[in-house]
Amino acid sequence: MTIQAIAFDAYGTLFDVYSIRESAEKIFPGSGAALAEMWRDKQIEYTHLRTLCSMYKPFWEITQDALVFCCNKLGLSLSLEAQNALMGEYAHLQVFPENLPVLQELSDSGMKLAILSNGNLHMLQSAVDAAGMQGIFNHLLSVDAIKKYKTAPEAYQLGPDIFAMPAKNILFVSSNCWDVCCATWFGYTTFWVNRHAAPIEELGVVPHGEGRSLLDVLEFLRKHHKT
Amino acid sequence: MTIQAIAFDAYGTLFDVYSIRESAEKIFPGSGAALAEMWRDKQIEYTHLRTLCSMYKPFWEITQDALVFCCNKLGLSLSLEAQNALMGEYAHLQVFPENLPVLQELSDSGMKLAILSNGNLHMLQSAVDAAGMQGIFNHLLSVDAIKKYKTAPEAYQLGPDIFAMPAKNILFVSSNCWDVCCATWFGYTTFWVNRHAAPIEELGVVPHGEGRSLLDVLEFLRKHHKT
């Protein structure tokens, strides 16, 4: 297997969406963790439903819709101020501490790097800038270009298209097990950053590599990257 | 609006999937409710992922996959005996008490009735028989015929096809808000059996009717069914 490029998922993989929990906890004491987790699940569910029904709308809006639903569900009164504060978190997410040096090392080695995300470009650019990752990525790929969210094949196809190489030569890295499993189905070489030691999804498919942080991606490449 | 036929969702709408909670509680004391809820969510998530990726497999198998994942996630050791017991619940689900008389009244009035479900035909027939609903439905429609789960348009299209009428003349009834919302997008007249007084999904679409049990479907039809 020759890996010539890497496509990273953004939310949960490069940027810590669960860091939102702390802001949520300040606004809704006792409910921050529950809100953050439900918000993330609902956000992803809405991307699936809207893609299945060809009812695309941008990720920023879906994220806001999901927040409104979750506050209703949890009986939390969402003021406009709280909504703006929580949505604002998405523009400057915390970054996992090992990520920047790993990405810098990969970039310095000549590996081509991209983000392939559900987020719209404005969200991605804000998160990259806030994380000090300017200049690291060759491409920021948003599904907004094709109006279908992962795990639609058209979304995964953005990687092979931009790098002009087969998916198997691209390492797709995500912390979301459903994302790496479906990317494996699509044809990528895949690596699951299993940050929380979760069980694997029972989808009958296994990612090619698995680790606990982005550091393990380096190890995987050392073992398998035959140029 | 002239309603000439009704298509019912099965699981959660006609058959009480959360009744599985009691069996689960006997097998895994203290974890029954959590397992039942997570199992249902994961089952639906897998239908979305497999449909988005064109990786269909029958609902019975997906249901089993979801059970295995949820037990792993919750740290519950799933013996083959427990797995068989819990899966067996799907073959003879409890039925909501008001459903049989409501369905009988609708059938007696000459309304054409169908089930339109993710479940494969064998699962549906077993559930119908166990519930004493033999002879009530003109059609049992399974997405297994087209190998795509709800909320794919091809799944919803089964209704207009079998009844040979536009979707707007068919009342689509489901207890799952995501299901009625997406059916509304598709073009059905829709009724949400909101059994647990849940907040509406923030999808920018509202079902035509809403109630707390199947009895409210009768009231909706009395108000809106102009023949």
Side-chain angles (χ1 to χ4, degrees), chain B residues 198-219:
Chain B
I200 191 164
E201 298 288 354
E202 293 290 327
L203 290 166
V205 62
V206 175
H208 300 93
E210 180 183 334
R212 295 294 292 273
S213 84
L214 235 57
L215 289 166
D216 298 314
V217 175
L218 293 176
E219 181 64 18

Side-chain angles (χ1 to χ4, degrees), chain A residues 73-142:
Chain A
K73 175 86 175 176
L74 293 171
L76 305 171
S77 176
L78 183 67
S79 67
L80 196 59
E81 190 184 6
Q83 181 172 315
N84 288 341
L86 288 168
M87 287 299 296
E89 288 292 312
Y90 261 90
H92 50 274
L93 289 164
Q94 291 179 34
V95 66
F96 296 101
E98 85 280 8
N99 283 6
L100 196 50
V102 169
L103 291 167
Q104 194 64 60
E105 181 173 338
L106 289 169
S107 176
D108 292 347
S109 77
M111 188 70 78
K112 299 291 177 196
L113 305 180
I115 290 178
L116 198 173
S117 169
N118 278 338
N120 34 303
L121 277 182
H122 183 73
M123 292 177 75
L124 294 179
Q125 194 64 59
S126 296
V128 163
D129 291 349
M133 291 179 179
Q134 297 93 334
I136 295 276
F137 297 101
N138 301 86
H139 307 284
L140 299 186
L141 303 175
S142 167

Side-chain angles (χ1 to χ4, degrees), chain B:
Chain B
M1 156 173 48
T2 305
I3 299 300
Q4 300 172 316
I6 307 180
F8 293 91
D9 171 59
Y11 300 112
T13 304
L14 298 180
F15 311 118
D16 185 1
V17 285
Y18 294 101
S19 69
I20 288 172
R21 165 190 320 126
E22 290 163 34
S23 305
E25 184 63 28
K26 279 184 202 145
I27 297 171
F28 300 115
S31 299
L35 176 59
E37 188 165 347
M38 187 187 289
W39 187 10
R40 173 68 176 161
D41 288 348
K42 186 55 66 173
Q43 177 197 47
I44 298 301
E45 183 190 344
Y46 284 178
T47 63
H48 292 163
L49 292 172
R50 286 187 169 275
T51 300
L52 285 166
C53 296
S54 301
M55 295 296 284
Y56 181 85
K57 70 192 280 194
F59 199 57
W60 181 262
E61 295 175 30
I62 281 185
T63 302
Q64 190 154 299
D65 291 344
L67 175 61
V68 169
F69 174 85
C70 292
C71 287
N72 287 340
K73 175 85 175 178
L74 293 171
L76 305 172
S77 176
L78 183 67
S79 68
L80 196 59
E81 190 184 6
Q83 181 173 316
N84 288 341
L86 288 168
M87 287 298 297
E89 287 292 313
Y90 262 89
H92 50 275
L93 289 165
Q94 290 178 33
V95 67
F96 295 100
E98 84 280 8
N99 284 6
L100 196 49
V102 169
L103 292 167
Q104 194 65 59
E105 181 174 337
L106 290 168
S107 177
D108 291 347
S109 76
M111 187 70 78
K112 298 293 178 196
L113 305 180
I115 291 178
L116 197 172
S117 169
N118 278 338
N120 35 301
L121 278 182
H122 183 73
M123 292 177 74
L124 294 179
Q125 193 64 60
S126 296
V128 163
D129 291 349
M133 292 179 180
Q134 297 92 334
I136 295 277
F137 296 101
N138 301 86
H139 307 285
L140 298 186
L141 302 175
S142 168
V143 303
D144 193 57
I146 48 103
K147 312 295 185 207
K148 286 175 192 278
Y149 288 101
K150 301 181 200 174
T151 60
E154 295 89 339
Y156 290 121
Q157 185 63 39
L158 292 168
D161 281 355
I162 200 86
F163 287 123
M165 64 181 76
K168 70 176 165 45
N169 295 122
I170 305 170
L171 184 67
F172 182 83
V173 178
S174 177
S175 65
N176 301 298
C177 190
W178 53 268
D179 195 10
V180 279
C181 285
C182 295
T184 309
W185 274 336
F186 179 82
Y188 281 100
T189 301
T190 53
F191 191 92
W192 180 22
V193 182
N194 185 5
R195 296 191 185 279
H196 305 293
I200 191 164
E201 298 288 354
E202 293 290 327
L203 290 166
V205 62
V206 175
H208 300 93
E210 180 183 334
R212 295 294 292 273
S213 84
L214 235 57
L215 289 166
D216 298 314
V217 175
L218 293 176
E219 181 64 18
F220 177 81
L221 287 170
R222 273 192 288 270
K223 277 191 188 160
H224 298 281
H225 178 200
K226 303 184 186 73
T227 45

Side-chain angles (χ1 to χ4, degrees), chain A residues 21 39 56 64 76-78 80 82 93 103 114 123 153-154 166 169 181 187 191 200 212 219:
Chain A
R21 166 191 318 125
W39 186 11
Y56 181 84
Q64 190 153 298
L76 305 171
S77 176
L78 183 67
L80 196 59
L93 289 164
L103 291 167
M123 292 177 75
E154 294 89 340
N169 295 122
C181 285
F191 191 92
I200 190 164
R212 294 294 293 273
E219 181 65 19

Side-chain angles (χ1 to χ4, degrees), chain A residues 34-54:
Chain A
L35 176 60
E37 187 165 347
M38 186 186 289
W39 186 11
R40 173 69 177 161
D41 288 348
K42 186 56 65 174
Q43 177 197 48
I44 299 301
E45 183 190 344
Y46 284 178
T47 64
H48 293 163
L49 292 172
R50 286 186 168 276
T51 300
L52 285 165
C53 296
S54 300

